[in-house]
Amino acid sequence: MGVITEASELLEHFRFQTDEQAMALLENQQVKGDIEDELADVLFFLLRFSQRFEVDLTKALLRKIEKSEKKYPVEKAKGKNTKYTKL
């Protein structure tokens, strides 16, 4: 529940904003600080959840990236001439 709550508080800053408006928000240091706080809250709850239920987030992320690469090959998603840097 904590992840959802904090993620929704993060979303409040960006909801219904264009990319340009969202970038402009980050130019305001007070707003940027508030956004950083919300990101930290989300991260805390993710880390705590993974600790409590013994989930290795690094392994989970790498496995998910591998699955996504197979499901959505770069050539199909971006075209053959797209530069791609692997994590």
Side-chain angles (χ1 to χ4, degrees):
M1 286 189 288
V3 171
I4 297 297
T5 302
E6 297 303 335
S8 68
E9 289 178 9
L10 175 63
L11 175 64
E12 288 176 17
H13 292 279
F14 298 101
R15 189 173 213 162
F16 306 118
Q17 302 290 321
T18 65
D19 286 347
E20 293 79 22
Q21 291 169 323
M23 292 303 292
L25 282 175
L26 296 169
E27 292 174 9
N28 178 314
Q29 291 305 306
Q30 176 64 45
V31 174
K32 184 176 180 179
D34 294 343
I35 290 168
E36 289 171 350
D37 288 347
E38 297 305 338
L39 285 167
D41 290 341
V42 170
L43 179 60
F44 169 80
F45 279 103
L46 285 173
L47 292 172
R48 179 66 183 116
F49 184 93
S50 66
Q51 177 189 39
R52 184 170 181 198
F53 296 102
E54 298 180 4
V55 173
D56 184 325
L57 286 177
T58 302
K59 286 181 183 177
L61 176 61
L62 293 174
R63 186 177 63 249
K64 179 61 178 178
I65 290 170
E66 195 173 301
K67 285 170 124 176
S68 294
E69 285 176 340
K70 289 176 184 173
K71 189 173 181 179
Y72 306 105
V74 173
E75 296 78 24
K76 288 184 179 179
K78 298 284 186 175
K80 294 183 183 212
N81 295 324
T82 301
K83 292 182 181 179
Y84 174 70
T85 304
K86 194 169 186 172
L87 292 175

